[in-house]
Amino acid sequence: MSVEYWSNQLNKIPSLYSFINFRRENNGGFIFNPYLYTEIWVDELEYKIIENIDGTYLLSDIINYIANLINGNQIEANNIVKNTFQKLISYNAVFFTNEPRPLKTSTLSKNNEVNKLDYYSAPLSVLWDITYRCNMKCKHCLNGDPTSFNELNLPEIMKVLNELKRMKVFSINFSGGEPLIRDDIFEILQAASKQNFGLRLSSNGLLVDNTILERLKDLDVFCLQISIDGFKETHDNFRGVKGAYEKAINALKTASEMGFHTTMSTMIIRDNVGELEGLLELAESLGVSSFKLNSFMPMGRGDTHQDNLSVSKNELEKLSATFLKKKKEHGDKINMQIDALFPWLLNCNIKDDILVRGIVSSANIKCSAGQTTLVISPEGTVFSCPFLSQFPLGNILESSLYDIWNNNSSILGKFRGLKQEDLSGKCKNCRFVPKYCNGGCRAASIIVNNDFHGEDPFCWKN
């Protein structure tokens, strides 16, 4: 940002775009642009700046306000505000006008209400399995008989959306089952879009065509995630439907061309180990935004197929080396999400501890469960993790999400208070915990070893 540009803005009125959401946390807060999907963290002074960018005050007023907070140092205040605005402008969050709106208060906001908890005041995102009904017969499916669940109806879903908005949850990933099977899915997405949630739709691609994509585009769905679990024969066999591969490939290609952020989501299974490199090349050729590798979890239908699907630790180690190299080669061409391969185990250069943003706590195992995400099932039951359905937290129709989130007597409290010293096996003294690894997957340890504190059974480290 040039000195001239900054000087020209001093007597203008900054405003946040109407779709921008922000939320206070301990030592700062988050700001979220639903069209960019990823929230960004701001520190305490940056948050104080943001909460006063309401179209009421001159930029120079905000600088003077910050100067008063830091003992009148005008030069330092100018630099702090300038750096904050540079961040906001690059995040497409703010614009300037010449005419102020009517003053709402006589002085700038001095909101000192701070979340003093050692966990966030609300989830950052929610994974919502909107239905368990599906048009495929996948060998790894987590869900049971979909006819045994009473799905939330539209008014009940609207009530949940309103509570998510009140809690300032930023984004929702609508999944399933196959979410497009619901007759009212577009009404649900429209309601969520109007409330400026960041929207992601996870689909198998079987029902995705140009008409569906046009409707999703109109509803500001940011990301479309499609599962591809191998080339044609492998994918169709794994998914239990002939022609599934061609449908999924066409959905990814067309969605990418239409400007969606697209994700190719791939389960690592025995049958596709030799195809994963080729799938990465395919994803890039289709214009896909992200290539995501997932661990196979032996539960649900997958429990009966684990002998044929599970990949050995030796194979995972080889894949880790291969894809770490691929990630360096591909650079910014495609976003590669390969944490399922534990790539940090190949990195000998350990940096200082990476603290969770804004949380001051003795707990240093920061799994997303209980920290940043929640899962909602079709009938409204809430879980900490999609793989921990044996530990329900409550039902959204019987308890408020606020009460569910703040119930530390549930498994959420175990996650929030977990320290590395509480773990057993190789996770207990691993130098990669918590700097790179969140202490392994607790759900995997429970599912495979029936031990919340046990080592991650999928970690290939000797």
Side-chain angles (χ1 to χ4, degrees):
M1 185 185 300
S2 69
V3 174
E4 182 180 2
Y5 174 83
W6 183 246
S7 298
N8 290 336
Q9 311 309 314
L10 293 178
N11 291 316
K12 292 184 179 180
I13 313 296
S15 296
L16 294 173
Y17 286 108
S18 59
F19 51 79
I20 294 294
N21 300 308
F22 58 96
R23 189 177 91 196
R24 174 173 281 285
E25 297 293 347
N26 193 13
N27 300 320
F30 289 99
I31 184 167
F32 180 75
N33 182 338
Y35 297 103
L36 299 178
Y37 201 77
T38 303
E39 70 281 339
I40 58 174
W41 173 258
V42 292
D43 64 28
E44 186 64 27
L45 279 178
E46 290 174 324
Y47 190 88
K48 289 182 180 295
I49 293 167
I50 288 169
E51 64 183 354
N52 286 294
I53 305 175
D54 62 356
T56 299
Y57 306 105
L58 295 171
L59 177 57
S60 57
D61 293 333
I62 296 175
I63 294 173
N64 290 334
Y65 166 63
I66 296 299
N68 289 333
L69 292 179
I70 58 174
N71 300 319
N73 192 324
Q74 197 77 21
I75 295 176
E76 184 180 352
N78 181 76
N79 289 333
I80 291 171
V81 175
K82 181 179 179 181
N83 290 336
T84 302
F85 269 84
Q86 193 156 5
K87 179 187 292 189
L88 295 175
I89 290 169
S90 65
Y91 192 59
N92 296 319
V94 68
F95 65 97
F96 292 90
T97 60
N98 290 312
E99 296 296 329
R101 300 172 188 165
L103 284 173
K104 293 188 291 186
T105 59
S106 58
T107 58
L108 275 75
S109 171
K110 295 183 179 180
N111 181 7
N112 293 316
E113 181 184 349
V114 179
N115 167 31
K116 295 296 185 181
L117 304 172
D118 63 353
Y119 56 92
Y120 294 142
S121 61
L124 300 179
S125 63
V126 163
L127 171 64
W128 195 339
D129 289 328
I130 204 72
T131 181
Y132 283 153
R133 288 177 288 155
C134 194
N135 46 10
M136 287 189 173
K137 303 173 184 178
C138 304
K139 292 182 178 179
H140 71 305
C141 183
L142 303 178
N143 307 322
D145 178 10
T147 61
S148 65
F149 294 91
N150 295 316
E151 295 177 0
L152 297 176
N153 59 37
L154 194 57
E156 290 168 336
I157 288 171
M158 296 304 173
K159 181 180 177 181
V160 176
L161 286 174
N162 289 336
E163 182 166 15
L164 293 175
K165 190 62 179 180
R166 284 196 301 273
M167 290 184 70
K168 297 187 177 181
V169 172
F170 294 137
S171 59
I172 305 173
N173 180 357
F174 287 104
S175 185
E178 173 50 54
L180 290 173
I181 281 183
R182 279 196 68 129
D183 293 335
D184 55 3
I185 186 61
F186 290 103
E187 294 174 82
I188 296 169
L189 291 172
Q190 183 178 41
S193 178
K194 285 182 178 179
Q195 298 195 59
N196 290 327
F197 289 106
L199 299 180
R200 178 186 295 262
L201 188 73
S202 295
S203 170
N204 57 39
L206 208 57
L207 299 176
V208 177
D209 56 20
N210 285 23
T211 301
I212 293 290
L213 289 173
E214 289 289 352
R215 295 185 71 180
L216 294 176
K217 194 73 174 175
D218 289 341
L219 294 173
D220 294 326
V221 172
F222 170 79
C223 176
L224 183 65
Q225 177 172 296
I226 303 289
S227 298
I228 303 285
D229 298 295
F231 289 110
K232 184 175 181 178
E233 183 178 351
T234 303
H235 180 82
D236 288 0
N237 180 57
F238 182 64
R239 293 281 167 175
V241 176
K242 288 186 177 180
Y245 175 79
E246 296 295 343
K247 287 276 190 179
I249 290 297
N250 185 64
L252 273 175
K253 182 176 185 298
T254 307
S256 298
E257 292 171 347
M258 290 177 63
F260 286 89
H261 182 104
T262 49
T263 298
M264 179 189 288
S265 180
T266 302
M267 185 73 62
I268 305 170
I269 56 174
R270 188 175 301 176
D271 287 344
N272 71 12
V273 167
E275 300 178 1
L276 295 178
E277 290 183 68
L279 289 177
L280 171 61
E281 302 302 327
L282 173 64
E284 188 172 327
S285 71
L286 295 173
V288 170
S289 311
S290 297
F291 178 74
K292 180 181 179 183
L293 292 176
N294 302 296
S295 299
F296 163 68
M297 198 70 73
M299 64 179 297
R301 197 178 294 158
D303 184 38
T304 61
H305 294 102
Q306 61 177 302
D307 290 341
N308 296 320
L309 297 178
S310 295
V311 177
S312 72
K313 292 183 179 180
N314 286 338
E315 288 174 310
L316 289 175
E317 183 176 3
K318 292 176 183 177
L319 287 172
S320 183
T322 297
F323 278 90
L324 191 59
K325 181 180 178 183
K326 290 286 184 182
K327 192 165 187 175
K328 294 176 181 177
E329 292 173 354
H330 285 256
D332 296 331
K333 295 178 183 177
I334 187 169
N335 175 32
M336 293 174 59
Q337 301 174 40
I338 60 172
D339 281 1
L341 298 174
F342 299 85
W344 47 83
L345 297 179
L346 298 169
N347 182 8
C348 296
N349 299 316
I350 304 301
K351 300 177 182 178
D352 292 336
D353 196 358
I354 302 171
L355 298 177
V356 175
R357 297 169 295 186
I359 293 181
V360 179
S361 171
S362 59
N364 58 15
I365 304 299
K366 295 298 182 185
C367 174
S368 61
Q371 303 294 338
T372 61
T373 62
L374 279 182
V375 179
I376 302 177
S377 73
E379 80 281 7
T381 302
V382 181
F383 306 104
S384 58
C385 166
F387 304 116
L388 292 176
S389 57
Q390 66 271 53
F391 300 108
L393 304 175
N395 189 285
I396 197 72
L397 298 181
E398 300 169 359
S399 304
S400 71
L401 191 66
Y402 176 87
D403 289 339
I404 291 172
W405 179 253
N406 289 289
N407 180 13
N408 277 317
S409 64
S410 67
I411 196 171
L412 295 180
K414 294 188 70 173
F415 275 111
R416 290 164 179 165
L418 189 62
K419 305 169 189 169
Q420 184 175 10
E421 63 198 55
D422 300 325
L423 302 179
S424 60
K426 59 191 175 186
C427 294
K428 185 178 183 69
N429 298 306
C430 179
R431 67 192 182 109
F432 293 95
V433 177
K435 301 177 180 68
Y436 289 82
C437 177
N438 286 322
C441 179
R442 298 298 92 214
S445 184
I446 291 173
I447 292 165
V448 176
N449 302 318
N450 195 30
D451 183 2
F452 179 80
H453 297 98
E455 66 182 41
D456 189 324
F458 302 131
C459 176
W460 51 262
K461 178 186 177 185
N462 293 324

